[in-house]
Amino acid sequence: MIQNSRSIRRMTAYRTAARKTLLASSFPVIALLPSERSFCSAERDVGLETTAVISFPKAVDGPKGLPSRSNQVQKLSSNEVYDVLIIGGGATGAGTALDAASRGYKTALIERGDFSSETSSRSTKLIWAGIKYMATASAALLSRQLLTNPVDTINNFLGEMKMVYNCHRERRYMMEKQNHLCNWIPIAIPFDKWYVTPAPFGHPLFSFFPVLAPFVLKFYDALSSFQCPPSYILTPNKAKVVFPQLSQDNLKYCAVFYEAQHDDARTNLAIAMSAAEHGADIANYVQMVDTIKDQAGKVVAVTAKDRMTGKSFEIRAKKIVFCGGPFTDDLRKLENGSDVQPAVRGAHGTHIVLPGYFCPSDIGLLDYQTSDGRFLFFLPWQGHTLVGTTDKKGPAETLPGPPENEVDWILKECSKYLRKDIEFRRSDVLSAWRGWRPLAGHTL
């Protein structure tokens, strides 16, 4: 049996390291959803074969104070019984390993690709505190549902706001503990009219968002106990200086708020290396290919394969944690068979990278009302301009290429708020990627 929690459906992967109930379950296998990829069937996941080849790499020393990969694989294959084995080396898997190892549990972790090679390195590079969730929760609270089903409506609103509040807390924690990988980034919301139609978030009150924005953003600051840089207003003249690429046509003002920005892949690696420092045995390019059960049907071990050498071996553990993100159901099928009911719905988002001259180096932009109602961030990132994201449902894949129609859509949306003489061409796209978000399925 797999234990899941609907309450974690939208929590970011980086929260797992702070979880306090990791090993509380009495079930033999636990599935944690918001994570990096783990393993899925080669029949569907055609990109898997390109992530590793049998090459018998030469053993090299690990980072100072840490065992080498060859030593880690040797320990994993030594038939020791671990307290907990984590499948998946994304942010959730690495965070789970750190949590367990720091509590004194004998911990192992395997990842079929490289650490942070999927979802945990394909984000918008923001540790955002959920301003969109705050808006959608408010729109739902002020809808007719409040009259027809007041108890559920209020409870849902409080649940969403609690999640947003926790996002603020954890954003602050990341800024304090990972300040070498994180920074504050101001994000401008330009307004060229005082009344917006159609109403954002499907509620007529938000048609007045240009008027309400400064107050909403101050409330957003308050959720962080005002420990983030304060939101502020840019007049049209000031906006022209700070964001010269921004169109001045009918510009009323810009509301500016702050989010945290970070290097998601390096954050993931830092968590994984911290777990290893606490004694966890971790290895990349090691794939779980099957589960091993005792006579009572309880999973007691997995069969793993070193994708660098082709060698297979068993890893025994008292608890096995599936941290497969959007690939979690494929792991569950190895345990329960192919007829297992889906627990995860995949949703992919595309990002593109443009030359740095499209955006100032110290401020970004948010389009809160794209042509299909999604948020679109336009951000400086390592000397370039990062734009995203889209949101489409679909089964997860390894190393997916971004759909051309989504790249074109992003380019078209980019031009909405920028000067008319700034032209976005397909040849301006320096790189693009697509990553999958793991969303809780309806069967949970």
Side-chain angles (χ1 to χ4, degrees):
M1 179 179 287
I2 305 291
Q3 176 178 327
N4 292 297
S5 172
R6 183 175 293 275
S7 65
I8 63 174
R9 67 191 185 280
R10 290 179 178 168
M11 303 297 275
T12 62
Y14 307 104
R15 300 173 199 164
T16 306
R19 296 288 181 207
K20 301 301 182 184
T21 58
L22 168 65
L23 302 177
S25 173
S26 60
F27 291 95
V29 181
I30 308 169
L32 301 180
L33 302 185
S35 164
E36 179 65 49
R37 63 118 179 233
S38 193
F39 318 108
C40 64
S41 63
E43 289 79 7
R44 191 189 76 191
D45 196 7
V46 294
L48 173 61
E49 296 303 318
T50 64
T51 62
V53 294
I54 296 177
S55 56
F56 300 99
K58 182 184 296 185
V60 296
D61 294 335
K64 185 177 180 180
L66 297 179
S68 66
R69 180 186 180 277
S70 59
N71 288 337
Q72 297 277 39
V73 172
Q74 186 177 8
K75 287 192 287 186
L76 288 169
S77 60
S78 63
N79 285 324
E80 291 188 62
V81 179
Y82 290 93
D83 292 318
V84 57
L85 166 64
I86 295 100
I87 312 298
T92 296
T96 303
L98 175 57
D99 192 309
S102 63
R103 295 171 188 269
Y105 291 98
K106 188 171 182 58
T107 305
L109 179 148
I110 58 174
E111 158 64 39
R112 73 168 182 181
D114 207 350
F115 299 114
S116 190
S117 58
E118 284 284 351
T119 302
S120 295
S121 62
R122 300 185 182 192
S123 72
T124 316
K125 317 302 180 185
L126 290 177
I127 311 174
W128 74 313
I131 188 171
K132 181 179 180 180
Y133 299 143
M134 185 176 75
T136 55
S138 300
L141 178 68
L142 300 174
S143 68
R144 293 181 180 178
Q145 296 175 13
L146 184 61
L147 300 176
T148 59
N149 194 356
V151 175
D152 287 347
T153 301
I154 293 174
N155 286 338
N156 290 338
F157 172 77
L158 294 176
E160 288 289 282
M161 291 305 298
K162 182 179 179 181
M163 184 268 292
V164 172
Y165 174 71
N166 286 332
C167 287
H168 280 267
R169 283 178 41 189
E170 292 164 15
R171 184 184 67 177
R172 184 169 68 247
Y173 178 88
M174 291 293 291
M175 287 296 299
E176 293 172 352
K177 301 300 182 182
Q178 290 273 95
N179 56 14
H180 63 298
L181 297 178
C182 303
N183 61 275
W184 290 108
I185 178 73
I187 301 175
I189 308 176
F191 297 104
D192 57 5
K193 58 187 70 174
W194 296 110
Y195 184 84
V196 181
T197 55
F201 312 111
H203 194 285
L205 177 63
F206 286 95
S207 288
F208 297 97
F209 185 58
V211 178
L212 300 173
F215 306 99
V216 172
L217 295 179
K218 284 301 177 185
F219 178 75
Y220 194 63
D221 295 345
L223 292 175
S224 290
S225 301
F226 296 101
Q227 295 188 24
C228 62
S231 57
Y232 59 93
I233 288 174
L234 284 177
T235 63
N237 288 336
K238 185 65 175 178
K240 186 175 182 180
V241 176
V242 174
F243 206 132
Q245 297 91 335
L246 194 63
S247 173
Q248 295 292 307
D249 294 345
N250 299 316
L251 182 65
K252 308 302 182 185
Y253 77 101
C254 290
V256 182
F257 69 104
Y258 282 82
E259 292 288 8
Q261 190 175 45
H262 76 142
D263 188 325
D264 51 3
R266 286 189 63 192
T267 299
N268 192 160
L269 291 173
I271 297 172
M273 293 177 69
S274 297
E277 285 183 330
H278 281 80
D281 296 333
I282 66 175
N284 54 1
Y285 298 106
V286 176
Q287 180 177 4
M288 181 185 103
V289 294
D290 204 355
T291 58
I292 300 173
K293 300 180 180 179
D294 60 15
Q295 293 181 347
K298 176 182 177 180
V299 176
V300 296
V302 304
T303 301
K305 179 181 179 181
D306 183 351
R307 300 184 67 213
M308 296 283 97
T309 64
K311 176 184 176 182
S312 295
F313 52 90
E314 295 180 2
I315 306 176
R316 299 191 169 272
K318 299 173 185 177
K319 302 286 183 181
I320 301 173
V321 184
F322 288 169
C323 293
F327 300 96
T328 297
D329 283 337
D330 294 292
L331 295 174
R332 297 174 62 234
K333 290 176 183 178
L334 292 176
E335 181 199 9
N336 299 314
S338 59
D339 58 346
V340 64
Q341 290 296 313
V344 182
R345 295 178 296 120
H348 63 81
T350 296
H351 296 78
I352 64 172
V353 177
L354 302 170
Y357 53 75
F358 282 107
C359 183
S361 61
D362 55 357
I363 188 170
L365 182 147
L366 168 63
D367 181 358
Y368 69 97
Q369 192 180 28
T370 59
S371 58
D372 61 0
R374 291 179 285 199
F375 272 25
L376 190 73
F377 287 96
F378 191 83
L379 305 167
W381 176 248
Q382 297 186 348
H384 298 83
T385 301
L386 173 62
V387 190
T389 179
T390 60
D391 187 10
K392 296 284 187 180
K393 303 297 188 295
E397 302 172 15
T398 299
L399 298 181
E404 191 64 29
N405 65 321
E406 294 192 8
V407 174
D408 292 338
W409 179 84
I410 292 175
L411 288 173
K412 181 180 179 181
E413 293 294 324
C414 285
S415 61
K416 184 188 301 183
Y417 292 104
L418 300 189
R419 297 198 323 256
K420 301 303 181 183
D421 60 331
I422 298 178
E423 182 182 358
F424 291 92
R425 298 162 298 185
R426 182 60 179 84
S427 58
D428 291 322
V429 178
L430 304 177
S431 66
W433 63 80
R434 181 167 51 146
W436 261 264
R437 309 176 188 92
L439 307 176
H442 297 296
T443 60
L444 295 182

